[in-house]
Every structure is written in C-alpha cells, then in structure tokens.
Amino acid sequence: MKIRLLILLSLGVYMFCFSYTIPEQYQKKNDPLWNTWQNETLADSTRLESLKEFIWKRYLFRQPDSAFYFAQQQYDFAEERGLKRFMANALDVQGISFSIRRQNDNALIHYQKALKIFEEADDKQGIADCLSHIGTVYSDRDNNLEALDYHLRSLKHSEDINYLKGISRASGNIGLIYRNSKDYDKAIEYYNKALLISEKLGDERTIGNSYFNIGVAHRKSGDLEKAIENFQEASEIQERIGDRFSLANTINSIGNVYLKQEEYDEALKYYKRSIRINEEINNVGGTLNAINNIGDIYLLKEQYRKAITNYNKSAVIAKELGEIDKQYDAYSSLYVAYKNLGNEDQALYYLEKTIIAKDSLNEVDTAKKLQQHEFDKERLQDSLQNEEAKLKTEMAHQAEVRKKEKNKNLALGAGIFFLLVSGGLYGRWRYTKKAKAVIEKEKDRSENLLLNILPAEVAEELKEKGEAEAQDFDMVSILFSDFKGFTGMSEKMTAKDLVANINECFKAFDATMQKYNIEKIKTIGDAYMAAGGLPVKTNDSVKNTVLAALEMQDFIIKLHKEKETKGEHAFEMRVGIHTGPVVAGIVGVKKFQYDIWGDTVNTASRMESHGEIGKVNISEDTYNYIKDEPEFIFESRGKIEAKGKGEVEMYFVSLK
C-alpha cells in the first residue's frame, strides 16, 4: 500500500499513514449535519452523532477515502473527551472504508480495535455491527467457518436487544454462507428473511442489498430471469439513495447475467457503466472486475487485440492491489489471446507469468493447509499436556485424601485409592495413546502434502535446514506438451466437461511420470511441463523422458479414437523435448514450490510449438544422447526456423 504523508501545519491537519483524499465539500456551510458538528455550543454527544450521520450519508459509500478522513476527526475528538462508543464507531467506519476499497487486512485491523472498545463500553449494538463486519471479511477470504461464527455471534447479540437491523443483516450474512456452500434454496430463504425485516424497518440500503443477494443466488442456481429481476430492483433502490458502491457492483452483476446469456453487446453496456461509477468513487477493485469482464467478452468475440488492451489494464491494477488470482486470470487470458494471434513470443511470455502467478496461488493455499495442520497438532499437544496436568493434580489430591484418612479404614481406603488411580491411569494412558496416534496421523498428512508439491530430496532438505538451495544441473531433459485447438474446443464444451477431460489426461500423464521417474514441474491451462534428470541425476533420464513422451502421445491418440467413436470431443497433442543445463530450486523465500530456469526451458517450449500433432519432436541435443538406443526410430526434419533461436535441427522420434 502506498503511504502518503500530508503535513499541512498551517491548517493543523493530522498526519496519517493511510492514503485518503481530503474533500473540498466538507467546508460547505449549508449542510445541517456539518453545521451541527461545527457548533461548539452544543453537547459533545450531539455534535458527534451529527458527524457520524454526516459520514454515513454523505461520504462512506460515495467517497470511502474521504469517509476515513472524517472518521479520524471523530475518533480524535471522542478520544480527547473519553467517549468510547464514538471512538469505536469511528474505527468501525474506517474499517468499512477499507472494505469498500478491498483492503481487507487494514479493514480487519480497524474492526478488531473497534470491537475491543465496544466490548469495554458494553455497547451490544456496536458489538453486533462490528462482529458482522468482521464476519464479512472472513467471507471475502473464503473462510466460511470463521465467518459463520462471527455472524452467529452477531445474530445472538442482536436478538438479545431486539435489534431488528442487526437481525436482518445477520440473516443476510448467514444466507451468504449457504450461497458459498452452493445451497442456493437455503440462501434465498435467509435472504428473504432479511428482506422482510428490512421492509418493516424501511431500511432502503438493506432492502437493496437483500434484492442484490437474492439475485446472485438465482444467477448461481441458473435462474437468470429472476436474477435480472432482483438486480434491477436493487439498482433502482441504490440509485435512489445514492449508494454508488453497491450500485456499481449490481450493474456489474447484471452484465454477468447478459454475458452468461451470450448477449455480449448488452453485457458490455453494463460493464462500461459499472467502470464509470467505480471510477467516480475510486473503487479500484470494482473497476478491475469490470475491465476483466470486458476482456472476456472481446476474447469470446475473437477480437483479440481489444481483449489484450483490457487484460493489460486489469493485470496492472491487479498487481497494484496484490490480487494474485486476478493477475492469474489476466495473464492466462493474455496467453490465449496472443496464442490465437500467432504471436508465439508474447504467448510464451504470458505463459511464464501465468505459471508464476499460479505457483503463487498454490503457495498461498499450501501455506494455509500446512498452517492448519500445525495448528491442529498444537491443539492436540496442548490437550494432551492439559490431561497430563490434570492427572498429576488428581494423583496429588488422592494422596492428600489418603494421608488425612490413614487412621480410618486404612486398608479399605488404600484399596479404593489404588483402584481409582489404576483406572484413571489406564484411561489417561488410552487417551494419550489415541492422541499421539492422531498427532502422528496429522504429521503424516503434512508430510504427504509437502511431498505432493516438492521432490522428496528437496522436501527433506527443507525440513532439516529450513531452506533448500538452488542447484545447477548439466543435463536435464525438459518435456512440454500442448493440446491442439484447446481454445476452440473450450467454447464447445461445458466448464465441467472441459475440466473432466483435462483431468483425465493429466492424471494419466502423472502416472506416466511416476513410472519413468520423471519430475512433474507444473501445469497451466492445457500445457504440461516435466523434467527428467532432477533432482537426482540418472544415466537413463533422457531415454526415460522420451519414453514417457511417447507413452503420453499413445494415450492421447487412443483416447481421441475412443471419444470420436462416441461422438464426443477429444484432444490432440504436440510434445517437444530438449536436453541441456538448468537451474532448479524453490521459488522465493520460504515458499513451497519447485521450479526450473534456463534457456533449456525456452528451447523445449520451441520444440513443442514447432512439433506436429500425434508426434514427439526432439532437439538435436536430445537426439545425440539417445541416437544409439536400439528401440527408437528417428526422422530428421532438418533445420527449422524457431523464433528467438534461429535455425534449429529437429527430429521426430518413435518406437520401433
């Protein structure tokens, strides 16, 4: 996040560490809320209530950065006078301003500070509001269990004080959890509950949000007509009350429906309107979504240059926001666009950027899973320690009882005592054994997860040293594969069928890699990359890589014939191999992703792109390593011009 320090000493303005815009409008004298805030003869609470309303009604959903500025004024004034409720409210508003700008980390920091002060002041309504806002942040992070916990707590606080607005909001948020779980009927049920309460209250902002949420649920369930109806209801309300942030989101969602209906011109109209509104309120995240959607339309319409223009814009914004998933979307789409234009250099460039972005996404996901495993193990260990402590306390207590009653029924008491201790020890022993088994199981899961993304040797080095050094390899055979007409075929197949087909192929490829001891490096879209001869050097790595490539082609050829017979879509494939030096290691610092670099990788990619369907194309270097192997037949292709490489000697290889 860019830090901007504004030091205006002559005006006595505060210094902030967050970027915001100081609005010119705030000095207008004809605004009754502002005038009340400025009136120093009124009670502090009256003035602060007026400032709070001023922020909510004039700025929060129109200019969230300006709302942050005013909220800071509210916080400083309230802190000086010890008015905790207004301090907490100001922090909560600043959290909302960050949420609107999709800066969730900053939002969460402010919400948590606000919650602590609300709890100190025993402000149940403030607690309910703040819990709801925190839950929304976790929903945005796809942490539905944590989000549900906060929303249920918010609902309980709201019900305790009959806070109808809070009950309505909590119902809507619980509906969101069901929507994320794809239980759309249950989601709509909760959204309708929220809508009913909001209509009783006459709360138009929440009414608009409820219609929007119902529209999203209908869109995801496939009922596009009802989705449009509800989105239109929402947009009319949001337009009327000036909720520009929500309006931009709703307009974008209407565009999504038209996109799904393949009404591209209508979708474009709504996306462009969404961009205009988002730019007015400085909602960069909303602008990013709409620009990316426009790129999708031009890609579908095969207007590749227009698509590239929009994807380049979205890539820049996504990088500024740190949105790795959006960077991945933009780069992968740019790869497809340039590939369709026949610009191999740019396609390769964006393929590499796509791979890096995907690796980053995998690293984040893996880190989360590993952290969760570690957390689970720590909880089990803590539980075990607690049980052992309880056992020691119990034994000490029993010893004290025995000492006090040693002169009364000594024999009977001692017998009972030892029986209890024995039973207790046996129970604790069973618990300890069970807990240790669970811990061991969790450890195995963590080990397997690590081995699933790193070679065993690298994983072992990482565990022992906490890091793994990059290595130079003199002779590694790089294999690239790519499906013919993937983009065109993807337009003819449903997303489910497309993924199922790719998965069927890649599962077979994975098995082949394991069979020939080849290291799978990564996949992206329809491309598959593997390397023979690392992380452990072997004498037969070149031969095994070629055998693996031929087995891959054989699988695809047979699968294509089988599916053609059934009238189904099937892939055809090119495969290329080049052998040479590479550098291999883990990408970044403390990141769990194995990767390779070097000109050998680029040359191998050229072998694939200059190959032919159903064949394995190899470079002269690879040919020289295996030319004397008796099981292979070679077909010289002569020197072929490869972009960026000049003329390169190539060979087709097959089995006798």
Side-chain angles (χ1 to χ4, degrees), residues 586-628:
I586 297 176
V587 177
V589 180
K590 297 182 181 178
K591 297 293 185 180
F592 306 103
Q593 182 63 43
Y594 194 66
D595 207 349
I596 55 177
W597 303 271
D599 188 60
T600 300
V601 178
N602 296 330
T603 305
S605 178
R606 294 290 185 267
M607 292 303 106
E608 175 272 313
S609 60
H610 288 80
E612 290 184 8
I613 299 303
K615 295 190 176 183
V616 175
N617 188 40
I618 63 174
S619 67
E620 184 177 18
D621 288 341
T622 303
Y623 167 78
N624 287 332
Y625 281 113
I626 61 170
K627 63 183 179 182
D628 296 325

Side-chain angles (χ1 to χ4, degrees), residues 481-535:
S481 75
D482 185 67
F483 294 131
K484 172 192 174 185
F486 177 78
T487 303
M489 190 172 294
S490 66
E491 294 171 359
K492 300 174 185 176
M493 302 171 68
T494 65
K496 184 178 179 181
D497 288 341
L498 182 66
V499 172
N501 271 269
I502 294 173
N503 189 50
E504 182 180 12
C505 296
F506 284 177
K507 280 176 67 177
F509 294 171
D510 288 348
T512 300
M513 296 307 116
Q514 189 171 6
K515 174 181 175 182
Y516 289 102
N517 197 27
I518 308 300
E519 188 69 33
K520 174 185 175 181
I521 303 300
K522 62 189 73 177
T523 63
I524 177 64
D526 58 327
Y528 190 99
M529 179 183 178
L534 56 75

Side-chain angles (χ1 to χ4, degrees), residues 321-494:
L321 293 177
E323 298 267 3
I324 299 174
D325 57 333
K326 298 296 183 184
Q327 290 179 59
Y328 169 80
D329 290 342
Y331 295 146
S332 60
S333 298
L334 284 164
Y335 161 68
V336 172
Y338 277 115
K339 191 172 182 181
N340 278 283
L341 285 173
N343 190 332
E344 294 292 338
D345 287 338
Q346 284 295 314
L348 179 61
Y349 172 75
Y350 282 107
L351 174 62
E352 291 170 350
K353 291 182 79 70
T354 306
I355 291 169
I356 292 169
K358 185 180 181 183
D359 291 346
S360 297
L361 286 172
N362 289 339
E363 289 160 11
V364 171
D365 184 53
T366 300
K368 286 180 180 178
K369 289 178 181 177
L370 289 171
Q371 287 169 4
Q372 185 60 43
H373 287 323
E374 290 301 317
F375 176 67
D376 290 341
K377 287 193 290 184
E378 286 174 10
R379 285 197 301 178
L380 284 168
Q381 289 167 344
D382 289 343
S383 176
L384 186 57
Q385 289 170 359
N386 289 337
E387 289 300 323
E388 290 173 347
K390 288 178 184 178
L391 178 58
K392 290 178 181 178
T393 301
E394 183 179 336
M395 291 177 68
H397 174 68
Q398 293 290 353
E400 186 65 26
V401 169
R402 184 180 63 177
K403 182 179 178 181
K404 288 181 179 180
E405 297 185 357
K406 64 181 179 180
N407 294 323
K408 182 180 178 181
N409 300 321
L410 182 61
L412 179 61
I416 293 172
F417 166 73
F418 282 115
L419 183 62
L420 287 172
V421 171
S422 298
L425 285 171
Y426 177 68
R428 301 305 178 199
W429 174 79
R430 288 185 63 191
Y431 178 85
T432 301
K433 183 178 179 182
K434 184 177 179 181
K436 286 181 177 178
V438 174
I439 292 171
E440 193 63 32
K441 183 178 179 181
E442 290 300 315
K443 180 182 177 183
D444 290 342
R445 288 176 62 190
S446 297
E447 293 278 346
N448 290 334
L449 182 63
L450 195 61
L451 290 173
N452 194 39
I453 56 175
L454 296 177
E457 294 78 6
V458 177
E460 194 62 35
E461 183 182 357
L462 185 65
K463 286 189 294 179
E464 288 180 4
K465 301 179 181 179
E467 60 181 3
E469 295 181 1
Q471 290 182 281
D472 290 306
F473 293 88
D474 296 331
M475 189 184 75
V476 173
S477 295
I478 308 298
L479 177 155
F480 269 104
S481 75
D482 185 67
F483 294 131
K484 172 192 174 185
F486 177 78
T487 303
M489 190 172 294
S490 66
E491 294 171 359
K492 300 174 185 176
M493 302 171 68
T494 65

Side-chain angles (χ1 to χ4, degrees), residues 557-570:
I557 291 168
K558 289 178 180 176
L559 184 65
H560 185 268
K561 289 179 180 178
E562 179 184 325
K563 287 186 177 288
E564 261 196 339
T565 304
K566 298 177 182 178
E568 298 176 0
H569 295 294

